[in-house]
């Protein structure tokens, strides 16, 4: 399979870090614009997303759209729920430029009496496989790994689907209670600047959502540190903003450097025909990427709970 570039604006989801699971991200709180059910049905991206869902799971045609929104034309989100008091729910976050569903949450599709986490590991994998197969395509070509995360409150499983030989998962899945949360990470990036993987961590496990942004030689020069040194500082629970401040570098300087790199990658990819042309000005591209950059540079690694 051809590897998909996950650096740049249109090819990277505004991913909710795996630690957040059900928590709103900074970008959601700052820039999300609500849409009505009728608006999302006639919106180009919204309509295509719903059609993809309905083909994958015909029963969702009868579901009610209970929430819909967009983030600066970069991401379109839709939440549907079973009518008539049913508990089944599905959430889709779609890249508004590529039309790809990059984050998918399926809730309460198993009986309350026997939720997902009560199933065997093989049964859970079968449920996740079925979801990915229907929305994205076959999982047979991917290497698979499952592990239980350290969560004192409830059982939480992390499933990674990776292309053979890749250290970075293509699909990263969290299973918790009666919920499956799928994020399209995209495997290895097309950027030649990748020098370190897993800048952040969740419960002590590598989290790759920010790698395409932080592996930036211009950022390393601005902070006067190597990629490895930046990762070491982030592992202490600091944010990029805090690390920059300790070096008398402002938040805006960090945003400007990363945004410029991402926009330059975006333009190069468009010229090479790797991604669709957005027909946006340089300034518009910078404005579109800045909220995602802010989300990343203000994020901090979650540390695993101390064992007693």
């Amino acid at each position: 399979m051809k590897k998909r570039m996950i650096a740049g604006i249109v090819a990277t989801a505004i991913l909710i870090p795996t630690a957040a699971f059900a928590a709103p991200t900074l970008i959601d709180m700052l820039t999300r614009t609500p849409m009505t059910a009728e608006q999302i049905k006639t919106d180009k991206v919204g309509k295509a997303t719903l059609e993809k869902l309905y083909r994958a799971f015909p029963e969702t045609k009868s579901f009610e759209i209970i929430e819909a929104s967009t983030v600066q034309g970069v991401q379109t989100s839709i939440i549907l729920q079973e009518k008539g008091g049913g508990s089944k729910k599905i959430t889709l976050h779609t890249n508004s430029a590529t039309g790809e569903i990059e984050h998918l949450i399926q809730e309460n599709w198993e009986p309350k009496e026997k939720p997902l986490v009560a199933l065997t590991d093989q049964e859970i994998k079968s449920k996740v496989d079925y979801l990915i197969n229907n929305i994205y395509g076959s999982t047979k070509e991917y290497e698979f790994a499952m592990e239980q995360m350290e969560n004192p409150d409830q059982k939480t499983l992390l499933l990674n689907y990776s292309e053979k030989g890749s250290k970075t998962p293509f699909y990263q899945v969290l299973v918790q209670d009666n919920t499956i949360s799928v994020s399209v990470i995209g495997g290895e990036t097309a950027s030649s600047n990748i020098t370190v993987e897993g800048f952040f961590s969740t419960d002590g496990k590598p989290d790759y959502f920010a790698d395409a942004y932080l592996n930036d030689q211009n950022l390393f020069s601005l902070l006067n540190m190597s990629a490895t040194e930046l990762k070491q500082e982030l592992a202490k629970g600091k944010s990029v903003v805090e690390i920059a401040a300790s070096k008398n570098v402002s938040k805006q300087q960090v945003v400007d450097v990363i945004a410029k790199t991402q926009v330059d990658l975006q333009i190069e990819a468009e010229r090479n025909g790797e991604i669709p042309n957005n027909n946006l000005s340089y300034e518009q591209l910078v404005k579109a990427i800045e909220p995602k950059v802010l989300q990343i540079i203000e994020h901090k690694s979650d540390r695993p709970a101390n064992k007693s």
Side-chain angles (χ1 to χ4, degrees), residues 18-84:
T18 51
F21 203 58
T25 60
L26 173 65
I27 191 168
D28 285 345
M29 293 185 285
L30 293 179
T31 62
R32 189 166 291 281
T33 303
M35 299 177 72
T36 65
E38 291 307 313
Q39 286 175 326
I40 203 69
K41 288 177 182 178
T42 56
D43 175 77
K44 181 179 179 181
V45 177
K47 182 180 179 182
T49 300
L50 290 171
E51 289 176 350
K52 187 178 295 185
L53 173 65
Y54 296 155
R55 286 195 301 270
F57 298 99
E59 68 181 283
T60 58
K61 291 180 181 180
S62 64
F63 282 26
E64 179 183 8
I65 297 173
I66 61 172
E67 189 175 326
S69 59
T70 184
V71 179
Q72 292 188 346
V74 176
Q75 183 188 75
T76 300
S77 301
I78 309 172
I79 303 177
L80 302 93
Q81 185 167 2
E82 194 176 15
K83 287 184 178 179

Side-chain angles (χ1 to χ4, degrees), residues 278-305:
N278 270 296
N279 296 316
L280 298 177
S281 69
Y282 195 93
E283 291 73 20
Q284 288 173 318
L285 290 172
V286 169
K287 184 178 180 181
I289 197 72
E290 282 185 346
K292 289 192 282 186
V293 175
L294 279 171
Q295 178 193 14
I296 288 167
I297 66 175
E298 293 179 346
H299 182 70
K300 297 181 181 181
S301 284
D302 284 349
R303 297 182 177 182

